Structures are given as C-alpha cells and as structure tokens.
C-alpha cells in the first residue's frame, strides 16, 4: 500500500540554453526553453521535496550573479518571485518548514541551490554525488549551495524513502545521480528521471545528456535503458526533467495528482 497521498510538479524557473547541453552532440546552435522543476510528494509519513531549484539570491544580487553565472555558456535562469519555492509552497498553504525531507537527484546548481530554505529538513543525496561534487574541476556545481552544516543523510543504491516512494540509482549525468519512482493512490506510477533524461528525446532515442560524469556517456546510457525497462515493468510514466512541452502537458499547479 502506497503512503503517497498527493503529488505536485513545481515550476521554479525557466532557462534557455543550447540544446546540446541536454542531448549529447546533438542540437548545437539550437536554443531551447527548459523548465527548472522541483516535485512535492505528500505522504502519510510527511512531505518529501525532490530537488530545490536554483538559489534565487545568486540571481537577485548583481555581484553574486556575475560571480556564479558569468563563466557559464548560458544566461542565468528567470526566477520570478511567484516561481520560487517559498512562494510555490505558500500558494498551497505551506511553509518551507512543512517539508520533512529533501531528496536531491544531484547537486548541480539548478537542483540544489535552494537548500538554504530547508536547513531544518533531512537532506538525502547519494554519497558518490557528495564526493564527486568536491572534486577539482567538477562542472555544474556551486559549492556554497551545499557547504553549510545541513542534516545530510548520505545514501547508496536503491531504497524506499516511504512505502510507494523509491529512490533509484541512475549514475552517468553525475557520479551519484538518483531518480525516483512514485506510486500514486490512483493511476499509473510516475518515474521522475531527473537529469538522467532532460528531454523526451533522451528517452525515445537513448541519447545521453550533454554533460556526463568524467565525459563518459556509458553509465548515462545504461541508466536511460534501466529507467525505460523499469517503467515498462511497472507501467510507470517516465517524466523527463527539462522538457518544456512535457511539463506544460502535465502541469496542474496548484491542483495535484493523486
């Protein structure tokens, strides 16, 4: 019996970048629009938040904005006030402190930047991800996003957070990337790919993300195939993480899926 009651995809920002960032060696020169998403899962055992988006303070402050985003190949994302997680939660009658557990698919800046709003919560991340984010030259990380004394709960392999919510190890994009299978009270399960698959195209054509750990796509492709196999076995719907068309087709905020 699943402990899941309700599920919300939460748009926290929008950015524009070269498509090859999502589809390895494909789409160079084509700029795409990409949502930055978090996912709220309400269960009988508490509220889980998958990812926390960017640190809006780094976008608001010109000095931080230039320091953090100046060297990137694409501009900072747009994060209107009503898209930020405190506002999204507020629209649901919740406060950041109503989140019991934050699950980070990985530690890139568009997924872990908002941790400062959730210092009270348990923070789950794969141990390999935590280690790799500290490697010299690691790409995609703003180390101060996760340098504070958070309540880290380092993980290994697949595991159940609560009945009906399963963490799935999907390395490749990063060393310790994790996806999540969510069994709703009604209807098909949802398999959140995270950045194992940015776009539907990554899944349909088995294309690795542009950025792969140590520039090796082998694990990333194996994870895409594993996600497809798992979804087929349990009848789950695969949710790519940065696909604007998929998101718009499934956005229901402030309504929920159940």
């Amino acid at each position: 019996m699943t402990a899941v009651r309700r599920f919300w995809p939460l748009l926290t920002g929008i950015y524009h970048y070269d498509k090859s960032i999502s589809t390895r060696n494909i789409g160079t020169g084509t700029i795409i629009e990409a949502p930055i998403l978090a996912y709220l899962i309400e269960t009988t055992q508490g509220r889980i938040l998958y990812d926390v988006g960017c640190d809006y303070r780094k976008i608001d402050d010109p000095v931080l904005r230039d320091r953090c985003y100046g060297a990137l190949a694409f501009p900072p994302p747009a994060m209107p006030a009503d898209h930020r997680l405190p506002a999204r939660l507020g629209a649901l009658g919740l406060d950041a402190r109503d989140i019991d557990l934050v699950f980070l698919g990985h530690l890139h800046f568009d997924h872990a930047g908002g941790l400062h709003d959730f210092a009270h919560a348990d923070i789950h991340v794969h141990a390999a991800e935590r280690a790799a984010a500290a490697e010299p030259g690691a790409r995609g990380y703003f180390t101060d996003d996760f340098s504070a004394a958070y309540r880290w709960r380092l993980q290994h392999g697949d595991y159940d957070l609560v009945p009906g919510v399963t963490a799935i190890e999907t390395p490749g994009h990063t060393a310790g990337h994790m996806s999540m299978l969510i069994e709703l009270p009604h209807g098909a399960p949802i398999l959140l790919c995270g950045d194992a698959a940015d776009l539907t195209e990554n899944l349909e054509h088995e294309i690795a993300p542009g950025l792969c750990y140590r520039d090796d796509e082998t694990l990333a492709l194996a994870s895409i195939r594993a996600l497809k196999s798992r979804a087929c076995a349990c009848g789950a719907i695969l949710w790519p993480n940065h696909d604007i068309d998929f998101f718009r087709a499934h956005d229901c905020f402030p309504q929920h899926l159940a």
Side-chain angles (χ1 to χ4, degrees):
M1 179 72 70
T2 184
V4 176
R5 287 175 168 170
R6 299 187 289 181
F7 169 83
W8 293 263
L10 306 175
L11 178 66
T12 70
I14 294 280
Y15 50 8
H16 297 81
Y17 57 68
D18 192 275
K19 185 172 181 285
S20 63
I21 291 174
S22 284
T23 50
R24 190 171 176 85
N25 301 320
I26 295 172
T28 301
T30 298
I31 302 300
I32 64 171
E33 181 180 20
I36 300 172
L37 299 173
Y39 304 92
L40 175 61
I41 306 109
E42 183 180 272
T43 81
T44 59
Q45 299 180 27
R47 294 183 180 90
I48 299 168
L49 191 62
Y50 181 111
D51 285 350
V52 290
C54 297
D55 183 353
Y56 47 82
R57 302 172 303 178
K58 293 183 174 67
I59 294 171
D60 289 347
D61 184 308
V63 174
L64 291 176
R65 181 185 178 103
D66 184 64
R67 188 186 78 194
C68 296
Y69 289 95
L72 296 184
F74 48 86
M79 291 188 72
D82 62 341
H83 283 184
R84 299 171 185 188
L85 276 174
R88 288 294 192 196
L89 294 172
L92 299 174
L94 301 173
D95 181 83
R97 294 194 65 85
D98 291 314
I99 301 302
D100 301 289
L101 186 157
V102 171
F103 177 93
L104 297 174
H106 62 303
L107 290 170
H108 280 169
F109 68 87
D110 53 335
H111 299 266
L115 272 180
H116 59 91
D117 283 319
F118 302 97
H120 64 281
D122 286 344
I123 312 294
H124 286 223
V125 72
H126 197 290
E129 181 68 12
R130 191 81 169 89
E135 292 179 359
R139 296 168 59 195
Y141 301 101
F142 297 160
T143 55
D144 62 337
D145 284 341
F146 46 86
S147 60
Y150 293 112
R151 294 169 55 180
W152 296 105
R153 302 291 185 263
L154 299 183
Q155 305 296 329
H156 301 81
D158 298 359
Y159 67 100
D160 290 336
L161 286 82
V162 300
V165 180
T166 303
I168 302 172
E169 198 172 43
T170 48
H173 174 56
T174 64
H177 188 277
M178 299 286 279
S179 303
M180 179 181 282
L181 179 65
I182 301 165
E183 298 176 40
L184 299 172
H186 308 285
I190 288 172
L191 183 42
L192 300 176
C193 297
D195 279 12
D198 281 3
L199 309 177
T200 300
E201 183 177 344
N202 294 94
L203 295 164
E204 290 181 344
H205 301 292
E206 296 186 359
I207 301 168
L211 178 59
C212 292
Y213 181 58
R214 296 185 175 169
D215 206 32
D216 184 352
E217 67 177 30
T218 306
L219 281 176
L221 291 173
S223 289
I224 287 171
R225 291 167 187 147
L227 285 169
K228 293 173 68 174
S229 177
R230 185 143 189 168
C232 184
C234 68
I237 301 171
L238 287 161
W239 283 53
N241 211 36
H242 291 299
D243 190 314
I244 193 67
D245 292 330
F246 183 93
F247 170 70
R248 285 173 175 157
H250 294 82
D251 183 24
C252 58
F253 190 85
Q255 301 302 312
H256 61 270
L257 301 177

